[in-house]
Amino acid sequence: MTPPPPRFAIGYPVHPEQAEDFVAMVDDYRDHIAEVYYSWPGEASGRLSGPPDVFAQDRLVHDLDRFRSMGLATDLLFNAACYGDEALSSALVERISTIIKAVAPIDVITTTSPVIAQIVRDRHPGIALRASVNLRLRSVEAFEPIADLFDAWYVARDVQRNLATLKTLATWSRAHGKQLCLLANSGCLRDCPTQSFHDNLVAHSLTMSDPGCGLEVAPFACQRHLAAPEHRSAILQATWIRPEDLALYVPHVDLIKLATRQHERPRAVLEAYTSASWPGNLLDLLEPTYSTLIAPLILNSRAFPQDWPTQTADCDGICHRCDYC
């Protein structure tokens, strides 16, 4: 039986004025794209964003109308790891409602916050709710306590390569009327020990008064670890799924997210994953990429061994007892 074609969600760029015409690019691939996800300019999210800008907000609202005219769903992100001292405040409630009104109609809201999920559930019941990949949901036991809040969720990147785990989560999700999604091109290390720290830095990026503390090396595990050549197999052990292998995973998920909000080459990402083939450096598709970190070395997407798909699909993620990568 031929698996269904993948349905992709693609991210609206944080700085659209610095990129190619994003709407035109989406139109070129509209037969493959189900959804465009975005954050409100000036609002904390899972990626760095610029300060509030009326022009950027107006442009976003205009572009959202164009996406809807193509028949695409839109997904508003409230996926910051931290909302600080406003996390339980009436100010947050009102700001969320104001943003929703500004960009309506909305098909989906993706969030890390159970408070925001409850706000949307109570005040805007027509909007579907999706749990962010940043919640790191990796088991049925993780789904059950929030099943009343969410209609869909992203599986944790750290376990998504394992087909047995993915099948289990997909079976439970579908039996309970939920959708299961995954993020295909994340460059994050598996079980990254500094993900929480990094996500919180990003959430507070708009309000940090002095981000320069004098460190010569960024305090992120990936950059510190991969700077040493003997650790670079960690790139292979990471969480991405190669475009050529995506067909293994498509039957078990309802949506595949492509990280493009800060990617320098979103068209290349779309081309690779919609064609299930990439002739160049696989690192160029990932976000974060590591291309410059290990240059002039590359990761040739077409030079992988034939057993790579089956080996990684059976991976339990306990890398220290396996020397495959």
Side-chain angles (χ1 to χ4, degrees):
M1 181 177 177
T2 303
R7 299 172 65 249
F8 292 105
I10 184 168
Y12 188 83
V14 172
H15 298 290
E17 74 283 355
Q18 299 175 7
E20 71 166 296
D21 188 335
F22 186 78
V23 177
M25 183 190 70
V26 169
D27 194 27
D28 289 342
Y29 290 89
R30 64 192 299 180
D31 292 341
H32 301 277
I33 299 173
E35 179 181 297
V36 175
Y37 62 92
Y38 63 96
S39 60
W40 185 245
E43 182 69 20
S45 74
R47 285 291 177 267
L48 295 171
S49 60
D53 184 295
V54 173
F55 176 78
Q57 293 169 355
D58 288 345
R59 175 173 179 165
L60 172 60
V61 170
H62 178 260
D63 287 348
L64 289 174
D65 284 338
R66 296 171 71 185
F67 297 137
R68 295 184 190 106
S69 72
M70 299 179 197
L72 304 179
T74 59
D75 174 14
L76 172 59
L77 306 180
F78 291 113
N79 64 338
C82 179
Y83 286 89
D85 56 7
E86 287 191 341
L88 296 173
S89 69
S90 58
L92 178 70
V93 174
E94 295 309 316
R95 190 167 74 252
I96 296 301
S97 296
T98 298
I99 294 171
I100 289 173
K101 181 178 179 180
V103 297
I106 301 168
D107 299 289
V108 181
I109 284 178
T110 295
T111 186
T112 50
S113 167
V115 174
I116 292 175
Q118 191 66 62
I119 293 168
V120 175
R121 187 66 87 207
D122 293 344
R123 293 193 172 198
H124 309 277
I127 299 175
L129 281 160
R130 186 179 298 147
S132 169
V133 69
N134 294 327
L135 283 175
R136 304 180 220 172
L137 306 176
R138 57 190 299 155
S139 66
V140 167
E141 289 73 22
F143 291 163
E144 289 177 326
I146 57 172
D148 61 324
L149 284 178
F150 293 101
D151 306 294
W153 29 55
Y154 282 98
V155 61
R157 288 167 287 196
D158 304 314
V159 300
Q160 67 182 17
R161 275 186 181 175
N162 185 280
L163 271 185
T165 297
L166 198 64
K167 289 177 182 178
T168 297
L169 300 182
T171 299
W172 191 93
S173 296
R174 289 167 180 171
H176 290 79
K178 310 296 182 181
Q179 292 188 334
L180 186 68
C181 315
L182 65 76
L183 170 57
N185 68 322
S186 171
C188 289
L189 300 183
R190 186 193 301 270
D191 295 316
C192 175
T194 61
Q195 182 181 337
S196 295
F197 177 77
H198 190 181
D199 286 349
N200 275 279
L201 280 184
V202 171
H204 292 283
S205 62
L206 293 172
T207 56
M208 284 192 295
S209 60
D210 180 16
C213 59
L215 289 178
E216 295 182 2
V217 180
F220 309 131
C222 56
Q223 294 182 29
R224 294 171 57 89
H225 196 56
L226 299 176
E230 64 269 23
H231 295 154
R232 288 174 182 168
S233 61
I235 295 174
L236 296 174
Q237 298 164 347
T239 65
W240 45 265
I241 294 171
R242 200 171 56 130
E244 291 83 352
D245 305 330
L246 199 61
L248 286 172
Y249 300 86
V250 169
H252 309 295
V253 296
D254 299 284
L255 188 71
I256 296 169
K257 178 180 179 180
L258 299 177
T260 56
R261 287 203 291 152
Q262 289 186 297
H263 203 286
E264 293 183 356
R265 300 177 62 193
R267 183 178 287 273
V269 175
L270 264 173
E271 178 60 28
Y273 282 95
T274 57
S275 66
S277 178
W278 180 242
N281 185 1
L282 182 63
L283 297 181
D284 290 342
L285 303 180
L286 307 184
E287 204 286 306
T289 165
Y290 310 127
S291 291
T292 57
L293 185 64
I294 71 166
L297 299 176
I298 69 167
L299 196 58
N300 186 340
S301 190
R302 292 185 174 175
F304 279 67
Q306 289 188 346
D307 66 345
W308 171 265
T310 54
Q311 286 281 353
T312 51
D314 191 40
C315 176
D316 63 8
I318 307 177
C319 297
H320 70 269
R321 68 183 186 195
C322 170
D323 64 359
Y324 178 76
C325 289

